[in-house]
Structure formats: C-alpha cells, structure tokens
Amino acid sequence: MRAKAPKSTLSHRFWPVVIIALLASIMVFFASLSGGRPDWQVLAHLLGFAPAGAGDTTNELVLLLRGPRTVAALAIGAMLAASGLILQAVVRNPLAEPGLLGINAGAALSTVSISLGALPFAAGLPLTLAACIGGMLVAIIVYLVSWKSGTNTGRLILAGVGVGALCSGLISLITLFAEPQAVQRALAWLSGSLGGVTVAQAQLLMVFALMGCAALFLSHRQLDVLNLDRTSIVGLGLPFETTRLALLAVAVILASVATAIGGIIAFVGLIAPHAARLLVGHQHRAAAPVAVLVGAALCAFADLAARTVIAPAQLPAGIVTSLLGAPYFLFLMIRSTSGSAAQRSAHV
C-alpha cells in the first residue's frame, strides 16, 4: 500500500511575505525605469498621464533602453531562482546552484564558441538554443561522471565543479584566438552585463520565465517528496530517477536561457531559495513563489546598482551579484561544515 504524500501547509507568514516581496519587485522595477532617482515623468508616462507630445524622449528612453533591460533583469532573476530551487531539491544540497554544477559555464562555452568562431553572426533564438544545448550537454556529462550505481550529492557537485572549470578554461582558450573587439564584447557579456538587451530578447526571456515558473509551481509536491529518503520516495510511488531527470532538465533550460542573454550572473540561484526558505519554511508550495519574487528583485536591484553606483560608468550586474553572493556562499559552506562536524562528534 502506498503511503500518503507529505501534506503541504502554508506558513502564517506566507501572504505577508509574498506581498512585501511583490511590492519590493515593483519598487525596483520603477526605480530601474527611472534610472535610480525619482522621475515622475516616467511614472506618468507609464500610467498614461503624460501630456500629449511631451513624451517622445521618455518613450524612447523607457521603452527601448531601460524597459527591455529591466524586464530582462526581472525575468533572469526569476529564472535563476527557480533553477536554483529545483537543483537544491534534486541534488539535495543547499549549496547547489546552476553555477556550481557547471551549467552556466556550459551554456557560456556554447555561446562563445558560436559567436566567436563557428557562426559569428548568429543571434536571437538560434544562439539561445545553442546555449540550452551546451548547458544540457554539461548536465548530462556531470550526471554520467557522477553515476556509480546511482548518484549522490557529493559526486554531483564535484563533477559539476570540475566540468565547469574545464568549460571556463576552454572559453579562455577560444578568446585568445578571436578578434579583439569581439573578445571585448564577449568578456562584457560573460561578466553578466544587461546593457545590450533588446525588446525581442526581453520578450523571449519573459516567455521562458513564465513557462519555468509554471513548471516550478506545478511540481512543488514532487520537490517536497525528493527531500525524503529514497525508501520513502519509492514507497510513495514516485519514479526517483525519472523525476530527477525531468526536473533537472527544467532547471538546466532556465539557467541556460538566462545565461545566453544575460551572461554569467552568479549566486542569484543560491541566495533567493535560501531567503525564501528562511522566510516561509521548506514547503515548496510556499517557497517557490517567494524565491521567484526575491530572485527577480535581487537581479533587478543588482542591475540598477551596477548602472548607478559609479555612474556614468557602468558595472556588469554579474559583478554585483558575485560581491553579494560570495560571502553568503562561504558562510553557508562554513555552517554546513560545522554542522557535519558536530553530528560526527555526537555519534562518537
């Protein structure tokens, strides 16, 4: 007889947290469209209250420059957060994120190989598909390398770090033989710059973000079950490896598409899921929407800070997320190591 699936209950903090996260995302959205300073003309233009004939410059500034960039930042943050939340459940390790498993590096290697070598004029959907293929190939390689009568967390992460380092080395090798101007553009993109995002790219990101978030919300019960031990998962009737592979594919596609357009924006997939679980608990029914909102707001804030901190010069948003995420990752690693040592001492 099959056991019942774990019952999903919402924390009493869920709706207040969702409302606050949503308001934060909206505030960052308008702040980013206004260039980081109060600009009522932009707000009036967006709401349709601007005087007739007085909005041509604002229209061009908002709709063609800041708008696509801001929408892309929100979508990329949501996609990376969803990818990180799925990966942490599938790999069953709170340190897992697309960058740690080499997925971002695989997507970047595929994109750089095509844009600097095989098809230098490729752009748009073909380049995005190439990034997905690269990320998927790396995920398959990592899965096969870590397979030994099944997979475990340690082998997956070690394989991901190793394959990711190999991809980064190959990217450096390719840039040595490319045209200097193309290399400069590629390096700026690899750092996570959203400066050149077009309307078409922003629309493409929104489509993938909506589909990815829908897949995440619909699979919250499977993600909860994957947190149980393997015997319990089999007892619940969930096909373990098939479910892992399907969810892993969703996570890889989300991270790869985000990387194809926004470059390598690290640690959003780590910080957002942790913040969500800290705020509303470990049930994925509650953590999923909060993680998506936190990831979107975090990425948009990073892009806004990158544009304004040293204006008129600009930083890549990936550098800002790395400065925020690297200390947090070290803190989590030290805490995880201390917890493991304490458990071993308790068993002695």
Side-chain angles (χ1 to χ4, degrees), residues 209-226:
L210 291 174
M211 290 193 300
C213 291
L216 171 65
F217 299 153
L218 292 174
S219 60
H220 68 86
R221 289 190 179 86
Q222 287 81 359
L223 293 170
D224 285 340
V225 171
L226 287 177

Side-chain angles (χ1 to χ4, degrees), residues 21 25 94 100 123 148 159 180 183 194-195 198 228 233 236 311 323:
S25 301
L100 191 64
K148 188 178 181 182
V183 170
L194 299 174
T198 64
L228 304 176
I233 295 172
L236 288 167
L323 292 175

Side-chain angles (χ1 to χ4, degrees), residues 42-320:
V42 170
L43 183 61
H45 183 82
L46 290 174
L47 297 177
F49 298 139
D56 292 344
T57 304
T58 303
N59 182 59
E60 182 178 354
L61 186 66
V62 173
L63 297 183
L64 300 181
L65 295 177
R66 292 176 184 168
R69 182 172 183 161
T70 303
V71 171
L74 290 168
I76 287 173
M79 293 163 70
L80 292 176
S83 178
L85 189 63
I86 293 172
L87 287 175
Q88 288 172 16
V90 170
V91 180
R92 304 178 71 175
N93 189 305
L95 300 180
E97 63 117 17
L100 191 64
L101 296 181
I103 297 169
N104 289 352
L109 173 60
S110 179
T111 306
V112 168
S113 300
I114 290 177
S115 60
L116 295 185
L119 297 169
F121 300 106
L125 190 59
L127 208 58
T128 304
L129 291 175
C132 288
I133 293 172
M136 195 68 74
L137 285 176
V138 164
I140 292 172
I141 292 171
V142 168
Y143 201 81
L144 292 177
V145 168
S146 64
W147 180 269
K148 188 178 181 182
S149 301
T151 58
N152 67 33
T153 300
R155 287 200 300 270
L156 268 174
I157 290 182
L158 286 175
V161 171
V163 175
L166 176 62
C167 292
S168 298
L170 291 174
I171 290 172
S172 299
L173 183 63
I174 292 171
T175 57
L176 287 177
F177 299 99
E179 293 290 332
Q181 291 184 342
V183 170
Q184 288 296 326
R185 290 195 300 271
L187 291 178
W189 166 77
L190 283 170
S191 301
S193 175
L194 299 174
V197 172
T198 64
V199 174
Q201 288 175 324
Q203 291 172 339
L204 183 66
L205 282 170
M206 284 301 297
V207 171
F208 275 95
L210 291 174
M211 290 193 300
C213 291
L216 171 65
F217 299 153
L218 292 174
S219 60
H220 68 86
R221 289 190 179 86
Q222 287 81 359
L223 293 170
D224 285 340
V225 171
L226 287 177
N227 281 329
L228 304 176
D229 61 84
R230 192 159 183 165
T231 304
S232 300
I233 295 172
V234 174
L236 288 167
L238 188 70
F240 183 67
E241 291 296 346
T242 304
T243 305
R244 283 182 100 187
L245 284 173
L247 290 170
L248 188 61
V250 173
V252 169
I253 291 172
L254 289 176
S256 298
V257 173
T259 303
I261 295 178
I264 297 179
I265 299 179
F267 294 114
V268 175
L270 176 73
I271 296 175
H274 274 270
R277 285 193 291 267
L278 183 67
L279 292 169
V280 296
H282 288 257
Q283 296 281 358
H284 286 88
R285 179 185 171 193
V290 176
V292 166
L293 288 171
V294 170
L298 176 62
C299 195
F301 172 78
D303 181 57
L304 175 62
R307 281 188 282 154
T308 56
V309 169
I310 58 170
Q314 295 190 16
L315 290 169
I319 291 179
V320 178

